[in-house]
Amino acid sequence: MRIRKLSCLKFTILTGFAIFIVINIKSVGEDEQNLQAEEEHPENGKRNIANLRTKDTDILESVPVQSSQSKEKPDPAESEAADSLAGERINELPNPLSSREDSQVNQSQDKQKSQLSLKDILEKLKEANKAQIIHNESLFGPITNDTIVIVVQVHDRIKYLRHLIKSLSLAAGIDQTLLIFSHDVWDEQLNNLVRSIDFAQVLQIFYPFSLQTHTNTFPGESSRDCPRDAKVHRVISSKCTNSAWPDIHGHYREAKFTQTKHHWWWKANQVFSSLRATKDFTGLFLFLEEDHYVSEDFLHVLKLMSLEKKKSFPEVDILSLGTYLKKFNFRANGKQAEITEWISAKHNMGMAFTRTVWDKI
């Protein structure tokens, strides 16, 4: 009798455990299907990205700006794309040895190549840059000098861009900003994602001298470019185009690196001198990149820093919200702002400055 009772008990426990496993497997399967569906239908961006204030949103980090690469451990499927703008950074520039392929965007680009000619793409860039349409202007406008203009440089990393947009949507005071997205790739998935934003004013501009539109000519790759590691005394006789202009390290230009710099300077000139919405703007410009991630209070912190600068430190030119430090004692130093000499490799993440500083540059 006792043996039968024990056997029944064991059978009940094993049966319950088996049912629990089946339920969990089913749940995991449904979650994976939902994620896959979300990735396969970017046109639902307004539902999935713009309206991002969901009840299960993770608590954001207390750092005003961080790189999304340092905040997440990408799964194997994403590890090949763990780059910043155009590759993992070497001296804050893209790493040419690191793959920067994002499967969704590149599949979209391949499809567009078969549908859009280079002439069509250039025409679309020209039209967009001329129109300078500000989305949501009737909801959140007008732009004043108290508005913070956030300028985001975008390459083709749609997954990182989604995270940035999500973090922006959760920030206090984001409805009082103008978001300018500067692209060096024309891609409908990226465009639809940006246009789905409904929590702030949005303007898109497009860098017209990109590798996408200049595949075989300067400033893209050219057959007449000098090899990167060629020796100066050897390339003079080869008559390659840029033989007389190596960089300070003795290397010759690589289009995938120089595009990032060319795009940055073109973008800055556009927002300070050409865009109708900002050419007379005298407030703060904040510069971000597609793989950055902001905290909920980043605008509040930026305003505090700006007020302190005006009040006590007028000699300060650039405010920097981010850091590349992998370890930082937030408990001891989280309420402090450091005044130091600006170094690009340390202080270009989430940097903000005014037209006065731009005029100095």
Side-chain angles (χ1 to χ4, degrees):
M1 191 69 177
R2 184 176 300 172
I3 294 174
R4 287 184 179 180
K5 288 182 178 180
L6 290 174
S7 299
C8 290
L9 181 60
K10 289 181 181 178
F11 177 78
T12 302
I13 292 173
L14 290 173
T15 303
F17 183 68
I19 293 172
F20 174 77
I21 292 176
V22 170
I23 291 172
N24 271 319
I25 291 174
K26 182 178 180 181
S27 175
V28 170
E30 289 175 350
D31 290 342
E32 290 178 351
Q33 289 175 3
N34 291 337
L35 287 172
Q36 184 177 359
E38 180 179 339
E39 292 298 328
E40 290 175 352
H41 299 284
E43 66 274 12
N44 295 331
K46 184 173 286 293
R47 174 173 58 83
N48 293 328
I49 299 300
N51 301 323
L52 291 162
R53 297 171 176 82
T54 55
K55 62 181 181 181
D56 57 346
T57 300
D58 294 333
I59 298 175
L60 302 180
E61 297 288 342
S62 59
V63 191
V65 180
Q66 266 291 9
S67 169
S68 61
Q69 298 175 68
S70 63
K71 299 178 79 63
E72 298 180 357
K73 292 183 178 179
D75 57 37
E78 295 183 14
S79 60
E80 63 177 5
D83 65 329
S84 174
L85 212 60
E88 289 182 343
R89 296 300 178 92
I90 297 179
N91 295 326
E92 311 320 316
L93 286 175
N95 177 4
L97 300 179
S98 175
S99 171
R100 61 180 178 84
E101 299 300 318
D102 183 293
S103 58
Q104 282 193 328
V105 170
N106 282 282
Q107 286 173 12
S108 174
Q109 290 175 22
D110 291 341
K111 184 177 180 181
Q112 288 179 45
K113 287 178 182 177
S114 65
Q115 297 175 346
L116 294 176
S117 66
L118 179 59
K119 181 180 178 181
D120 292 333
I121 294 176
L122 285 169
E123 188 62 30
K124 287 181 178 292
L125 302 185
K126 182 179 179 180
E127 289 176 359
N129 287 338
K130 182 179 180 180
Q132 299 178 24
I133 297 173
I134 300 178
H135 299 278
N136 305 323
E137 185 175 18
S138 60
L139 296 175
F140 304 109
I143 298 168
T144 71
N145 287 324
D146 291 326
T147 303
I148 293 180
V149 176
I150 302 174
V151 188
V152 183
Q153 186 161 328
V154 181
H155 184 51
D156 63 359
R157 303 310 316 284
I158 193 168
K159 291 182 180 179
Y160 282 133
L161 184 59
R162 280 198 184 101
H163 286 293
L164 171 62
I165 292 174
K166 178 176 181 177
S167 67
L168 287 169
S169 75
L170 298 171
I174 195 64
D175 57 323
Q176 301 170 33
T177 67
L178 169 63
L179 303 178
I180 300 177
F181 291 85
S182 182
H183 303 258
D184 58 33
V185 167
W186 178 271
D187 181 84
E188 287 302 335
Q189 288 194 45
L190 289 168
N191 293 340
N192 290 337
L193 174 61
V194 171
R195 292 167 189 163
S196 74
I197 294 172
D198 63 357
F199 51 81
Q201 298 182 77
V202 178
L203 169 63
Q204 285 180 284
I205 57 176
F206 295 87
Y207 176 57
F209 308 109
S210 68
L211 299 181
Q212 183 188 37
T213 56
H214 296 71
T215 53
N216 301 309
T217 58
F218 180 85
E221 298 282 358
S222 170
S223 59
R224 297 190 61 194
D225 285 347
C226 297
R228 175 186 182 273
D229 297 318
K231 301 301 180 184
V232 177
H233 64 279
R234 292 184 179 179
V235 299
I236 296 295
S237 59
S238 71
K239 297 182 180 180
C240 53
T241 306
N242 52 330
S243 59
W245 299 287
D247 64 19
I248 60 175
H249 303 291
H251 301 301
Y252 290 96
R253 68 177 288 272
E254 293 178 274
K256 55 180 163 285
F257 285 97
T258 55
Q259 173 175 265
T260 304
K261 289 187 175 182
H262 289 169
H263 183 183
W264 195 95
W265 284 105
W266 176 88
K267 168 192 68 183
N269 277 283
Q270 288 295 112
V271 299
F272 281 108
S273 304
S274 299
L275 295 183
R276 294 187 293 271
T278 57
K279 65 180 181 179
D280 297 318
F281 178 76
T282 59
L284 271 176
F285 291 85
L286 172 65
F287 292 86
L288 300 177
E289 296 176 8
E290 66 182 2
D291 67 339
H292 289 172
Y293 192 88
V294 298
S295 68
E296 293 181 10
D297 65 345
F298 84 100
L299 290 171
H300 173 67
V301 171
L302 180 59
K303 289 177 180 179
L304 289 178
M305 293 173 68
S306 180
L307 289 173
E308 189 66 19
K309 169 193 173 316
K310 292 177 182 178
K311 177 182 176 181
S312 305
F313 305 98
E315 72 277 10
V316 170
D317 290 321
I318 297 175
L319 304 175
S320 180
L321 292 178
T323 177
Y324 290 97
L325 295 176
K326 294 183 178 180
K327 293 184 179 180
F328 188 79
N329 190 336
F330 294 105
R331 185 180 297 275
N333 304 315
K335 297 182 180 180
Q336 299 177 3
E338 178 186 19
I339 299 178
T340 185
E341 180 182 356
W342 187 82
I343 301 173
S344 175
K346 292 182 178 180
H347 307 124
N348 68 1
M349 185 189 292
M351 61 180 180
F353 54 87
T354 64
R355 183 176 300 277
T356 301
V357 176
W358 173 251
D359 291 340
K360 288 182 181 180
I361 295 173

